[in-house]
Amino acid sequence: MKRRLMLLLPLLVFLVLGVVLFRGLSINPSERDSALIARDFPVFELSTLSEPQRIVDQGLLKGEVTLVNVWGSWCPTCRQEMPQLLALAKQGVRLVGVDYKEEGATEEEKRRKGEDFLRQFGNPFEINVFDPEGTLGFDLGVYGAPESFLVDADGVIRYHHTGYITAEDVRKVILPEVEKWR
């Protein structure tokens, strides 16, 4: 009897492994919740994209609900997202950009690529934080641009959006979340 049970053991292991792997394949990674929800925006100290001498920190996110969008000129989906971000800005949503891991040989070249992107596709952001090494992105848990974080007036992250924001996302998710936290 024991011998028969031992013969079934590989089959049992295979079935359990199959269930675990099937479950893993059915999870949509873009629907993951950030571990930073209900936590203060990470501490940072970086320059702005357009003014290398101007240093900003997490204090710029206090006092008003703000959508922080992580983008990069190298990111094709960031281009697709810009019309929606411009529409949000026109509707009075405060946006702060994080120019994330810009490519280039020098810092000046990286800044130029970011600024060229904004000239070409529009600039909905009140300020663009320059994050060429991705340190702020790392602290935010970003694994690819674009990603957006809704921050309340106290500087607490209230919502995280992975991937680009569609026109439908604006109507059904982003604007209701902004109103909820105003």
Side-chain angles (χ1 to χ4, degrees):
M1 182 72 172
K2 252 185 171 180
R3 186 177 171 142
R4 284 188 177 176
L5 285 175
M6 291 301 285
L7 291 173
L8 291 175
L9 190 59
L11 178 64
L12 185 63
V13 169
F14 175 77
L15 289 174
V16 169
L17 202 62
V19 168
V20 169
L21 292 174
F22 182 76
R23 171 92 172 102
L25 290 174
S26 66
I27 295 172
N28 183 351
S30 68
E31 293 176 358
R32 70 179 171 87
D33 285 333
S34 171
L36 297 177
I37 299 294
R39 292 191 177 180
D40 289 342
F41 197 86
V43 173
F44 71 94
E45 204 168 271
L46 293 166
S47 67
T48 66
L49 177 63
S50 59
E51 299 173 85
Q53 69 284 359
R54 183 178 174 196
I55 304 299
V56 293
D57 62 22
Q58 68 284 356
L60 76 94
L61 301 173
K62 293 194 176 174
E64 189 176 348
V65 172
T66 305
L67 186 67
V68 177
N69 178 262
V70 180
W71 64 275
S73 68
W74 48 267
C75 163
T77 51
C78 295
R79 296 177 193 147
Q80 292 176 299
E81 184 180 55
M82 287 311 261
Q84 288 74 249
L85 297 180
L86 290 164
L88 282 168
K90 280 185 182 175
Q91 294 180 57
V93 176
R94 181 179 186 235
L95 284 103
V96 168
V98 176
D99 186 8
Y100 173 70
K101 287 190 171 183
E102 212 48 79
E103 297 173 346
T106 64
E107 184 177 312
E108 186 180 1
E109 190 177 310
K110 293 175 183 179
R111 287 180 186 277
R112 188 168 18 88
K113 284 185 175 182
E115 290 174 345
D116 287 349
F117 177 87
L118 294 173
R119 271 191 289 279
Q120 187 175 359
F121 298 101
N123 185 358
F125 306 110
E126 185 178 300
I127 294 174
N128 275 290
V129 176
F130 186 56
D131 187 21
E133 305 305 320
T135 55
L136 178 55
F138 181 79
D139 290 344
L140 286 167
V142 170
Y143 64 88
E147 288 193 31
S148 299
F149 298 85
L150 187 68
V151 181
D152 72 12
D154 296 324
V156 176
I157 295 174
R158 296 298 180 181
Y159 173 74
H160 174 224
H161 189 93
T162 304
Y164 82 99
I165 295 171
T166 64
E168 185 177 342
D169 292 333
V170 168
R171 280 184 287 111
K172 291 184 175 178
V173 180
I174 304 297
L175 287 174
E177 284 289 333
V178 168
E179 290 307 316
K180 181 177 168 182
W181 296 106
R182 277 188 170 158

